[in-house]
Amino acid sequence: MLAVGLSLAFGIMGVLNLAHGSLAVLAAILYKKALFLYPFSPWTFCALTTPIFLGFGFLLHLIIVAPFRNLSLSSSLVASLIASLGLALILEDLFVWWQGWEPISTHVTFTTFNVWGIKIPGLRAILLGMAALTIGLSTLFLKKTDPGRSMRALAQDKEAASLYGIDPDFTSMGALGLATILAGIAGIFYSSLYPLGPREGLDLTLKALFIVVAGGMGNLRGPAVAGLILGFIESFAAILFTYTSTDTIVYSLLVGYLVLKRSGSRQ
Amino acid sequence: MKIYKNRAFFLSFITILALVTIIFFSKPASAESPKEIRIGATVSMSGKFSTEIGPFKNLMEAYATAINTRGGIYVKSVGKRLPVKFIVYDDKSDGPTARKFYERLISVDKADILLGPYSSPVTFAASVAAEDNKVPFIAICANSEKVYNRGFKWIVCVIDAAPRYTHRYWDMIKAEGWAKTVAFVVEDTLHPQGVYRGAKKLADSAGLKEVSLNVLPADTHDFTAAIVKIQKESPDIVFVSANVPFSIAFMRQARELALNPKEFHVIHHGGVFQKALGAGAEGVVGQSYWTQGMNYGNPELFTEVMKRSGISLDDFPWAPAYMMAFETATQAIERAGSLDRKKLLTTLKHLKVMTIGGVVSFSENGVGTINTYPSQIINGQYHIIWPPDIATAKHEYPGSKN
Amino acid sequence: MKHWQMSLSIIILTALMLSSVIFTKGYHGIFVFSLIINGTMAVSYDIPGRSLGLISLGHAVFFGLGAYCFGILVSKGLSFFPALFLSLVLSVVGALIVTLLMAGLNHGYYSIATLGMLIIFQRLFETLESITGGSAGLYIPNSMSKLHCNLLAAFLLATTVACHALFSQSRWGIYSKETEASEEAAEAIGIPTRTVKIMCLMTAAIPACMAGMLHLARNSHVSPDSGFSLTLSITALLASRIVPVKGILGPLLGVLLITAAEEIIWTKFEGFNHAWFGLILLFAALYQGIDFKRREKISAAAEN
């Protein structure tokens, strides 16, 4: 989920948003605070906070995209990286000040479904379904709606898209808004499964970056599929080899794939 | 052209001014006739250990306030009581950063004595500064043997070495006699590895057979393979040697996949663990340094310090280890009667002091004597369950109520 | 590079070299040494960063390789200079392998692949405990005096600066610029772009390897976290780009600014340290965007 949102930002705007994971942490904190008021389910809270995160996305655009739009590709990448890193560091301290040092953990349930003798953890299954639904809806949005098509056009060729009358600023703002919504949803789901430290935003972003590049930038299905495949590889590597070699194997495969897939291309 | 020149000169001026500020305004503190006792330390207020130790600067300041309201510490060579001042920096959970700040604490802040950072890896790097500059260094939550096997003379540690971390738990298991097999799940970092190595031997001495060993990286999220392996062996005890985030993730998945040994032992099972797991934490045994009802040392002072700092003991169950380090430093200074570093070290090495966790003394290589007690989460509360003379509840295990 | 930029760079280098002799012990000694090592990392980072537009998130791979090769050889009983020489050879071979793998990538893919390499090395060195000491790392007692370490580090920085200047003036520097502008066009006119990339990346890798060796010699300890450190890579990137001045002056000023800002914030401010540092980064980045627009307006006005 996190990787899918990052893919949009990276693919469409060429922006490496290191504050992406911090937005997921923000969502988790908001969810935790909201649970004191009312026992929202994760999916209800996601629906309620979608407009808020859309707004955050627009705000983010003003900080890490708009100021650098006219710089060269390399310079805008670096400038947006530095700006988003600065923002991530500011948010880290604000999160600790607001919510304290302890990790954020929002749901505790161990319900398990038994399907043909296979134990499927209930909450994980539901969240997986919700994630698939969200990605499906987002893919439909990109394919079937005008704003979505504009985003795809911008990702393919910025200049040509402008010639066709697509406003790059407005479109990229929308893309970042969508990416931020996805980050928020990812944060709410993540904190339902694992404790999320207030300073873990950067770590989350970096993990998501790999999946983005493996799956291809600028589309939604690629990172989603890549994430699933990586998850399988991790699990099987743990069974076939040892857990301690899992990371080495996974990252070696990823880097190897990148080198083989991308060498010879000019991207 | 002029704009470029002006901007570059302006930037150069700013940076050089900043550097000059650091170098010339980091003047060493005066070393004549001490007006206060300076205790230097770093705390991981950011980085991977921040969720476990982040607010502990408050704990240090609370202790200083508590001691200073009681008049401070008597230093015979000065002939009066001196107030205590903690000088604390954020080491970002990073060894080289910690090392750099300990150098600063020594050469700029002129700390009289140093308290170690959190965790063995950071202490491993930071203690080099103390050894190079010959300043007494009291390590706290750093019990990996690797830290103390380098032949360093200026380091001591309040707590016992990692292999003995759970010895009381295995004493209890041996006395009770119900468990025959154990499966180990180990986080692949210094402290958990050290604890596991000792636990393996202690389990063996208690008559248990190791049926499964799973060593996993610190940031593992999917434990399916390990849990499936363990389920096949049906051990009596599943022993998780790991830091808190790992333990939470493992226990959650264990509960989801219905891994049901007779007992889970999770070495760090504090309040954060319990909050993350809710009813899933019930019955889990772990290790605690202290609980209400233990009457060693000055528990009232500890309660006052904890209250003043705003830190919850359940959420940060290693706070007592820090209190023991404070008490040790205080006693070392009082008994040495001087802030001379050599005298402080000599006093430390021969010290035997009662603290809230029991008697603290040090072996030849600096390792201390404080060990944890097995504690169990019973009806949402933490209870020490062994040894019987300080236990606050009985150990609940299958067959225990018969 | 303009004369005043050259003069300023020489002044800064001279000041650093003098500081390395004056401040050898204690906190100031470590501070000056870190400044010089970070400077080496930033200047070496800038070589492919500026010439080829490649943003690496794994520059610390070379640093870690150098540190560990040196540490392993010293812990096996080799004395300082033989260990230094041999570890340089070994780490350069390692760096060459990494560079050969990475040379085919560009832009975002290069950034992510370098990050992946960094994590691979971190995990690998954590796993090979019998050789590398595992997650605890390697501890080697002081193998050289602090003064000599500082002097070697200062000499390394000066050499790296010279390499940077020479590379950008050389044929390879010009080829790099052409490759950055358009790799296809560069190949069409006969520039061996892959060779250019490898040359450029190795020119950056070698000083980074040596910086790692000297870091271990001075500080006596390296671990997978500190050797293959993402923070170190990002610091090199920030230092190289945060000051919008081209040539070697940019990274030199950048490293002074970043290091000075960090030290002041972490030693003088009570709390919100990351937020203050983040604000500086944010303003520095926004300044670049605003400054670019201002320069565009000025040149548009000049044309009119």
Side-chain angles (χ1 to χ4, degrees):
Chain A
M1 287 281 315
L2 212 58
V4 165
L6 204 58
S7 163
L8 272 176
F10 204 178
I12 292 173
M13 291 164 288
V15 163
L16 207 57
N17 177 17
L18 293 181
H20 193 68
S22 304
L23 297 166
V25 175
L26 174 62
I29 293 173
L30 286 172
Y31 185 36
K32 188 173 179 185
K33 299 284 181 201
L35 284 174
F36 285 116
L37 299 170
Y38 186 81
F40 293 106
S41 64
W43 31 96
T44 311
F45 194 72
C46 286
L48 287 172
T49 51
T50 297
I52 299 172
F53 276 88
L54 187 65
F56 283 149
F58 293 161
L59 199 61
L60 199 62
H61 187 270
L62 286 174
I63 301 170
I64 68 166
V65 179
F68 317 117
R69 64 167 97 72
N70 294 323
L71 296 176
S72 69
L73 191 62
S74 156
S75 299
S76 72
L77 179 66
V78 171
S80 64
L81 191 147
I82 295 174
S84 60
L85 176 62
L87 188 61
L89 292 173
I90 294 167
L91 287 173
E92 261 189 32
D93 270 354
L94 285 176
F95 293 157
V96 171
W97 170 76
W98 185 21
Q99 104 93 23
W101 299 91
E102 38 176 278
I104 307 145
S105 196
T106 52
H107 265 282
V108 188
T109 170
F110 306 111
T111 313
T112 310
F113 303 132
N114 211 320
V115 179
W116 298 317
I118 302 168
K119 289 193 185 74
I120 300 172
L123 186 59
R124 282 176 211 261
I126 292 169
L127 290 177
L128 180 65
M130 297 302 307
L133 182 66
T134 310
I135 293 169
L137 285 172
S138 306
T139 309
L140 271 174
F141 171 81
L142 283 182
K143 274 195 161 165
K144 303 289 182 191
T145 65
D146 282 344
R149 280 192 278 257
S150 302
M151 288 177 198
R152 281 165 52 217
L154 205 63
Q156 275 194 349
D157 192 330
K158 197 172 169 182
E159 280 171 19
S162 305
L163 287 171
Y164 274 91
I166 292 170
D167 183 344
D169 286 338
F170 187 72
T171 308
S172 60
M173 202 186 269
L176 200 52
L178 180 57
T180 310
I181 290 168
L182 291 170
I185 294 172
I188 292 164
F189 287 179
Y190 192 97
S191 66
S192 303
L193 293 173
Y194 307 109
L196 188 57
R199 291 191 185 277
E200 263 188 64
L202 262 173
D203 286 339
L204 284 179
T205 308
L206 292 170
K207 280 178 194 160
L209 269 175
F210 278 101
I211 303 172
V212 165
V213 182
M217 296 187 288
N219 73 87
L220 297 188
R221 272 177 307 178
V225 171
L228 275 171
I229 292 171
L230 278 171
F232 277 121
I233 294 172
E234 239 181 42
S235 297
F236 280 106
I239 295 166
L240 292 171
F241 302 99
T242 62
Y243 263 103
T244 44
S245 58
T246 311
D247 269 357
T248 314
I249 292 167
V250 167
Y251 284 110
S252 301
L253 284 170
L254 211 41
V255 171
Y257 167 75
L258 272 178
V259 169
L260 289 170
K261 182 182 170 188
R262 295 292 164 186
S263 63
S265 84
R266 299 302 174 203
Q267 275 196 300
Chain B
M1 207 47 80
K2 208 175 171 185
I3 294 161
Y4 282 102
K5 234 188 204 171
N6 286 344
R7 185 183 59 207
F9 274 125
F10 173 72
L11 285 165
S12 316
F13 176 74
I14 294 289
T15 44
I16 289 163
L17 183 69
L19 272 172
V20 164
T21 307
I22 297 162
I23 291 182
F24 290 101
F25 284 84
S26 294
K27 273 195 277 195
S30 167
E32 296 172 4
S33 189
K35 297 194 176 75
E36 60 192 358
I37 297 166
R38 293 188 204 120
I39 303 179
T42 66
V43 169
S44 302
M45 296 185 236
S46 55
K48 63 185 174 199
F49 298 125
S50 62
T51 49
E52 295 168 56
I53 211 74
F56 272 46
K57 185 179 175 187
N58 298 346
L59 191 71
M60 295 174 181
E61 286 168 355
Y63 181 79
T65 308
I67 289 297
N68 294 340
T69 51
R70 287 162 171 77
I73 301 174
Y74 182 72
V75 181
K76 192 177 173 188
S77 61
V78 179
K80 59 178 178 176
R81 288 184 165 271
L82 293 178
V84 169
K85 182 180 176 186
F86 280 90
I87 305 159
V88 183
Y89 296 114
D90 174 13
D91 59 32
K92 304 181 196 174
S93 310
D94 176 51
T97 307
R99 161 90 188 262
K100 178 183 72 177
F101 282 126
Y102 278 97
E103 290 279 358
R104 185 184 169 93
L105 286 165
I106 294 165
S107 57
V108 176
D109 299 308
K110 293 280 187 262
D112 300 302
I113 196 167
L114 301 170
L115 296 182
Y118 184 76
S119 86
S120 297
V122 182
T123 304
F124 195 93
S127 52
V128 177
E131 190 69 14
D132 282 352
N133 294 283
K134 299 181 173 31
V135 179
F137 184 98
I138 303 175
I140 313 172
C141 287
N143 62 357
S144 167
E145 288 175 306
K146 287 187 179 183
V147 177
Y148 307 98
N149 291 347
R150 294 173 289 174
F152 281 16
K153 303 275 180 278
W154 288 80
I155 185 171
V156 294
C157 182
V158 164
I159 63 178
D160 201 346
R164 285 184 47 78
Y165 192 75
T166 56
H167 82 91
R168 291 190 174 108
Y169 174 70
W170 297 108
D171 289 344
M172 177 185 77
I173 293 295
K174 187 175 180 179
E176 289 167 354
W178 56 271
K180 302 291 174 226
T181 54
V182 58
F184 288 100
V185 179
V186 183
E187 180 186 322
D188 193 14
T189 50
L190 268 185
H191 166 66
Q193 280 172 342
V195 170
Y196 158 68
R197 275 193 286 272
K200 182 185 161 73
K201 287 187 185 144
L202 292 163
D204 191 53
S205 310
L208 276 81
K209 184 183 165 201
E210 178 187 295
V211 296
S212 176
L213 168 63
N214 302 273
V215 181
L216 300 90
D219 56 359
T220 304
H221 279 113
D222 181 22
F223 298 88
T224 313
I227 290 170
V228 164
K229 257 177 76 179
I230 294 168
Q231 274 173 330
K232 272 196 198 143
E233 303 297 337
S234 300
D236 293 326
I237 297 173
V238 170
F239 185 98
V240 182
S241 181
N243 292 308
V244 173
F246 181 106
S247 303
I248 292 171
F250 173 80
M251 276 305 298
R252 207 185 252 274
Q253 209 172 358
R255 293 299 192 200
E256 284 169 357
L257 296 178
L259 174 63
N260 284 322
K262 290 179 185 165
E263 182 156 282
F264 277 106
H265 184 289
V266 177
I267 61 170
H268 296 305
H269 70 332
V272 170
F273 175 88
Q274 195 192 17
K275 281 178 202 167
L277 291 165
E282 188 64 22
V284 171
V285 176
Q287 304 291 134
S288 297
Y289 285 106
W290 190 85
T291 190
Q292 284 288 354
M294 281 174 68
N295 279 316
Y296 297 126
N298 191 346
E300 293 80 22
L301 177 62
F302 177 56
T303 311
E304 180 193 328
V305 167
M306 290 294 283
K307 199 173 167 189
R308 216 187 268 271
S309 70
I311 290 171
S312 153
L313 178 64
D314 281 350
D315 290 345
F316 298 96
W318 32 85
Y322 274 72
M323 183 68 185
M324 292 177 227
F326 301 158
E327 291 175 296
T328 304
T330 305
Q331 283 296 310
I333 293 166
E334 269 185 2
R335 293 189 198 183
S338 163
L339 296 176
D340 176 71
R341 289 166 177 176
K342 194 109 195 86
K343 282 190 181 151
L344 276 172
L345 181 73
T346 311
T347 310
L348 263 176
K349 290 283 193 179
H350 295 101
L351 197 66
K352 221 170 180 173
V353 59
M354 179 58 80
T355 65
I356 56 159
V359 173
V360 170
S361 62
F362 306 107
S363 63
E364 190 59 43
N365 66 354
V367 168
T369 48
I370 292 297
N371 241 310
T372 50
Y373 299 88
S375 66
Q376 190 170 26
I377 301 172
I378 301 171
N379 297 325
Q381 303 289 321
Y382 290 87
H383 291 279
I384 302 273
I385 52 176
W386 191 267
D389 52 330
I390 65 154
T392 55
K394 285 199 83 169
H395 179 206
E396 290 186 4
Y397 58 91
S400 64
K401 290 197 170 137
N402 297 340
Chain C
M1 192 166 59
K2 299 175 180 55
H3 284 299
W4 63 266
Q5 286 184 349
M6 176 78 87
S7 313
L8 200 52
S9 304
I10 291 172
I11 291 169
I12 292 172
L13 268 176
T14 312
L16 285 173
M17 291 187 93
L18 281 173
S19 305
S20 70
V21 173
I22 299 166
F23 302 104
T24 56
K25 290 187 183 153
Y27 169 72
H28 294 119
I30 278 203
F31 177 74
V32 168
F33 183 80
S34 302
L35 200 52
I36 293 171
I37 293 294
N38 286 344
T40 306
M41 293 295 285
V43 173
S44 61
Y45 183 97
D46 199 58
I47 298 171
R50 289 276 178 205
S51 317
L52 293 169
L54 290 174
I55 309 301
S56 170
L57 294 174
H59 196 52
V61 163
F62 309 120
F63 181 91
L65 271 175
Y68 265 100
C69 286
F70 178 67
I72 291 166
L73 289 170
V74 168
S75 62
K76 297 292 178 207
L78 240 63
S79 59
F80 183 80
F81 281 107
L84 200 67
F85 179 72
L86 195 54
S87 57
L88 179 61
V89 171
L90 289 171
S91 54
V92 165
V93 169
L96 186 61
I97 295 168
V98 170
T99 303
L100 286 169
L101 285 171
M102 301 288 112
L105 300 169
N106 283 314
H107 303 306
Y109 296 99
Y110 178 81
S111 305
I112 303 307
T114 50
L115 179 60
M117 290 303 300
L118 190 69
I119 296 177
I120 288 168
F121 275 96
Q122 237 185 44
R123 294 287 186 263
L124 200 58
F125 278 65
E126 276 173 7
T127 316
L128 301 171
E129 198 175 337
S130 53
I131 306 167
T132 63
S135 52
L138 281 175
Y139 169 72
I140 58 166
N142 285 329
S143 45
M144 194 184 216
S145 79
K146 291 178 171 49
L147 173 64
H148 291 138
C149 271
N150 279 17
L151 282 174
L152 273 177
F155 177 70
L156 176 63
L157 176 60
T159 314
T160 311
V161 165
C163 286
H164 186 303
L166 286 170
F167 186 88
S168 43
Q169 307 287 339
S170 72
R171 172 167 65 117
W172 296 102
I174 296 164
Y175 287 171
S176 303
K177 290 267 180 232
E178 295 302 323
T179 307
E180 195 220 348
S182 169
E183 203 166 330
E184 278 157 355
E187 287 216 340
I189 60 169
I191 293 172
T193 54
R194 190 174 163 83
T195 311
V196 164
K197 277 177 165 180
I198 292 166
M199 288 287 295
C200 188
L201 291 170
M202 284 306 293
T203 311
I206 296 170
C209 291
M210 298 196 68
M213 289 174 221
L214 291 175
H215 168 86
L216 179 58
R218 175 69 164 76
N219 292 316
S220 309
H221 176 252
V222 70
S223 66
D225 272 349
S226 66
F228 302 103
S229 161
L230 181 59
T231 309
L232 188 59
S233 296
I234 290 181
T235 305
L237 160 66
L238 289 176
S240 149
R241 295 303 199 107
I242 201 163
V243 175
V245 174
K246 288 188 179 162
I248 50 169
L249 185 59
L252 284 176
L253 281 179
V255 78
L256 294 183
L257 186 67
I258 298 268
T259 315
E262 265 198 320
E263 285 306 301
I264 291 176
I265 291 170
W266 260 268
T267 56
K268 303 289 177 204
F269 283 48
E270 289 272 337
F272 289 101
N273 296 342
H274 278 82
W276 289 118
F277 190 68
L279 266 172
I280 291 174
L281 295 182
L282 198 55
F283 282 131
L286 289 173
Y287 174 81
Q288 288 191 29
I290 294 165
D291 183 61
F292 182 83
K293 279 191 189 134
R294 195 164 53 94
R295 278 186 281 139
E296 263 194 337
K297 270 190 195 159
I298 289 166
S299 50
E303 269 172 35
N304 294 338

